[in-house]
Amino acid sequence: RLVLFFFVLALVYAGGQVVLQQIASRLPRDIAPQVALGGAALVSVLTISFYALLVGWLERRDIRELALARGFPLLVGGLILGFAIFAAVYAVLWGLHAALWLGVVGFGAALPFVAMAVLPGIGEELIFRGGVFRILEDMFGTLVALILSGALFGALHMSNPHATWFSGLAIALEAGVLLAAAYAATRNLWFPIGIHIGWNFTEGGVFGAAVSGSGGGHGIVKMPPHGPSLLTGGDFGPEASVVALAI
């Protein structure tokens, strides 16, 4: 069950990303963000559909962990929490003179980051929290599942651009453990999905930072990092900073 959930969902998610990247590279730049957002929604629906098929086939039950009646307010709360966490990171960086406030740029530059936030926010949560963490918890209990799924999540992010051993550790704790704990506390996947989307969009779309080593440079506000990589996260982005890890 663990192997099937991981590889089937990862294949749908990663395959969808490859197709979207190929399509986007052939489109005019003025319509690429809109097409990417539509594509992200389509791949997300496909991933949810395959998750539902796996649950029905292997577990013979309804997907109560994706119930929207309870999940919608948790999704909204997660979005707010994800925004608040990363806004706090930048507030501390600004207070430490490790981020420079250069003013508001505008909302136009943030649109490409919506797809960048939604697609991994849904896809990775279904794979790692709905699949890996939930099944490991059935096998070994919550604590061991938090450690193992968090370690796997951090290790797989080591293949991202500009990754280091510290960025892998930071992702394992900040995202792997945090998001699994968010699911364990609520038993609804929309809460970690909301946190993940809110976190990614705030990091890249609001502050224009690199998200797990990718993108960066344009956001709603212009607030470039300034200072040692230990504080700013370097080229990987603020997720790899001691500030984000502490918060």
Side-chain angles (χ1 to χ4, degrees):
R1 187 159 59 105
L2 179 65
V3 170
L4 280 171
F5 265 86
F6 180 81
F7 282 104
V8 170
L9 295 176
L11 182 62
V12 175
Y13 171 62
Q17 282 189 311
V18 171
V19 172
L20 286 179
Q21 289 168 359
Q22 292 299 315
I23 293 172
S25 67
R26 292 169 168 79
L27 291 173
R29 294 189 64 180
D30 57 337
I31 64 168
Q34 291 86 345
V35 174
L37 183 56
L42 177 59
V43 175
S44 297
V45 170
L46 282 174
T47 311
I48 291 172
S49 300
F50 273 88
Y51 181 87
L53 287 171
L54 288 170
V55 169
W57 175 43
L58 297 172
E59 301 180 0
R60 308 287 184 184
R61 63 175 181 83
D62 296 330
I63 47 170
R64 51 186 176 272
E65 63 270 28
L66 283 173
L68 267 174
R70 181 166 176 262
F72 182 73
L74 289 172
L75 173 65
V76 174
L79 291 169
I80 295 170
L81 181 57
F83 169 80
I85 290 172
F86 226 82
V89 170
Y90 262 83
V92 173
L93 290 176
W94 178 77
L96 294 173
H97 305 290
L100 304 176
W101 172 261
L102 299 179
V104 177
V105 177
F107 289 89
L111 183 59
F113 286 95
V114 177
M116 186 181 286
V118 169
L119 187 54
I122 294 177
E124 291 180 8
E125 292 314 301
L126 292 174
I127 297 167
F128 289 98
R129 263 54 73 177
V132 175
F133 170 77
R134 187 174 58 80
I135 297 169
L136 285 175
E137 188 180 37
D138 288 346
M139 297 165 67
F140 303 116
T142 304
L143 179 60
V144 173
L146 282 170
I147 295 169
L148 292 179
S149 66
L152 177 63
F153 196 65
L156 290 177
H157 278 76
M158 289 290 289
S159 63
N160 286 22
H162 312 297
T164 64
W165 70 266
F166 185 79
S167 71
L169 175 64
I171 290 292
L173 294 171
E174 296 165 1
V177 172
L178 170 67
L179 295 170
Y183 169 72
T186 60
R187 298 297 160 184
N188 192 293
L189 287 169
W190 291 111
F191 189 45
I193 286 172
I195 297 173
H196 200 148
I197 293 173
W199 172 294
N200 280 10
F201 180 74
T202 305
E203 184 178 19
V206 176
F207 292 106
V211 180
S212 301
S214 301
H218 302 285
I220 295 172
V221 302
K222 192 171 184 180
M223 205 169 177
H226 174 74
S229 295
L230 193 63
L231 281 180
T232 66
D235 292 334
F236 189 82
E239 289 167 319
S241 76
V242 292
V243 175
L245 190 59
I247 290 176

